[in-house]
Amino acid sequence: MYGGTGARRRSALAAVALAGCGALLAAGCSPPGGAGARPGGSPPGTPAAGSGSSGPSGSASGSPPPSGPPAKGAVTVTGEVAKGLESPWGVAPLPGGDLLVASRDKGTISRVAVGSGAVTEIGEVPGVAPGGEGGLLGLAVSPSFASDRLVYAYFTTESDNRIARMRYDEKRPPGQQLGAPDTVLRGIPKGTIHNGGRIAFGPDKMLYAGTGETGDTGLAQDKKSLGGKILRMTPDGDPVHGNPEADSVVYSYGHRNVQGLAWDKDKRLWAAEFGQNTWDELNLIEPGANYGWPEAEGKAGRPGMRDPVAVWGTDEASPSGIAWAQGSVWMAALKGERLWRIPLAGAEPVAAPEAFLEGKYGRLRTVVALGGDKLLLVTSETDGRGSPEAGDDRILTLTVQ
């Protein structure tokens, strides 16, 4: 923690506890432009990433500039869905509202009953080898989950990072509800750092994954490596027709450590990634584009390389999960211990990023859009780098604008 964070967190948690009872508790609000919001660190006068060629991410050119959300937003913490979670990382909403949550270090998946807050382990993912930033990371449920009951997980093994799917059978006893893993993609480089790990199904029902370069910076520019990339594949793990290279799952490259993936209402793909010593990034992703690492960090203006749309100093961010809601990208910050709002008009920011909840809940790992103005926010105080307090880690509900 930094400079009195623990006291601020205790005060914030007490406000949540006193505001109501049960699993969903009312809490206070960070008003627009008030103490809970501070401008971000994007350098002025630098153009954002271009909205060039049209692709599966849904970007387009030549259309009139869209109107954006207000420059100032607001965040209200409206409840606490669950607490006492150990190293939560990936979160996948189920039909009906309950959640699946991955424990990075335990290698288990649990179901959280949103109404009661009850946490029930449904099974352990075999082969997970936690260590450093590796372990059981991203989760996603199949677009056809209602019929196929498939849960996808990105995880670290003794030899690599990989993506596997498992059938979820609720009729079996708790702890034994996951079927044997069916690996759909293996061979993603692993390391004690920069493992990436976020997975998500896009509007095209294809599976996307963000990977890291594991500290081996050259992998990011090597198109034959799966490290330092955003990958796009079918639900079976095969390259998708329309990928930049027909026989490759590589969708974009030149990334250092992609931790967040989200699509806006126009199906543009956004990604958050860790910088090294200077700039963390929010990027608009185009198929086949080079995002610069390790030759460029932040808005370098290098020919042939895409600049980020927004950047932050690494102490302010260390970005993890992102979500899109109410015309903005919302980005969880680990070291920065805050939730960033990046208001967008199409592919362009309409104002500097705003920070909310600064220091109130510690390290923030994952943001999930629930539709409309509702978000889930997952804390990450038990990941070995935080200062956990009683009740950590937590899943909070937010109303945003």
Side-chain angles (χ1 to χ4, degrees), residues 117 129 188 373 400:
I188 302 169
D373 60 355
V400 299

Side-chain angles (χ1 to χ4, degrees), residues 50 67 73 85 105 110 115 123 135 142-143 155 169 192 252 260 279 290 299-300 307-308 349 355 367 385 391 395-396:
S67 60
L85 302 173
D105 297 339
S110 295
S142 164
F155 59 95
D169 185 353
T192 57
S252 63
W279 298 117
N290 180 357
K299 296 186 176 184
D307 277 347
V367 192
R385 296 182 178 178
I395 301 177
L396 305 171

Side-chain angles (χ1 to χ4, degrees), residues 317-400:
S318 296
S320 189
I322 62 174
W324 187 90
Q326 299 296 98
S328 298
V329 169
W330 300 84
M331 186 179 80
L334 290 164
K335 187 175 182 181
E337 298 188 355
R338 64 199 80 177
L339 179 68
W340 285 101
R341 172 185 182 261
I342 305 95
L344 298 165
E348 303 291 337
V350 299
E354 289 180 280
F356 294 92
L357 308 178
E358 186 175 346
K360 290 186 176 181
Y361 298 99
R363 294 163 58 82
L364 304 179
R365 173 70 66 181
T366 296
V367 192
V368 178
L370 297 180
D373 60 355
K374 307 301 181 187
L375 296 177
L376 292 174
L377 180 63
V378 183
T379 69
S380 192
E381 285 290 285
T382 60
D383 67 349
R385 296 182 178 178
S387 299
E389 299 178 356
D392 285 332
D393 271 309
R394 307 166 189 274
I395 301 177
L396 305 171
T397 54
L398 310 179
T399 299
V400 299

Side-chain angles (χ1 to χ4, degrees), residues 89 104 131-135 137 154 156 161 188-198 210-220 226-229 255-259 273-277 280 293-294 318 365 385:
W89 212 100
R104 185 194 70 182
E133 295 174 4
L137 302 173
Y154 182 119
T156 311
N161 286 303
I188 302 169
K190 63 163 282 189
T192 57
I193 58 172
H194 306 178
N195 282 286
R198 196 70 62 181
T211 73
E213 34 79 308
T214 70
D216 183 352
T217 58
L219 297 182
L226 299 179
K229 308 293 189 296
H255 299 286
R256 186 170 181 267
N257 188 19
V258 177
Q259 294 276 294
E273 69 177 277
F274 281 92
Q276 185 173 25
N277 299 317
D280 292 325
W293 181 254
S318 296
R365 173 70 66 181
R385 296 182 178 178

Side-chain angles (χ1 to χ4, degrees), residues 13-111:
L13 293 172
V16 173
L18 292 172
C21 59
L24 298 179
L25 311 174
C29 173
S30 298
R38 295 202 320 196
S42 296
T46 308
S51 54
S53 61
S54 184
S57 60
S59 62
S61 60
S63 56
S67 60
K72 298 295 182 180
V75 173
T76 305
V77 179
T78 55
E80 183 180 86
V81 175
K83 62 182 180 180
L85 302 173
E86 183 176 336
S87 61
W89 212 100
V91 176
L94 292 169
D98 284 358
L99 308 172
L100 295 182
V101 182
S103 171
R104 185 194 70 182
D105 297 339
K106 292 173 63 180
T108 58
I109 299 176
S110 295
R111 180 168 180 156

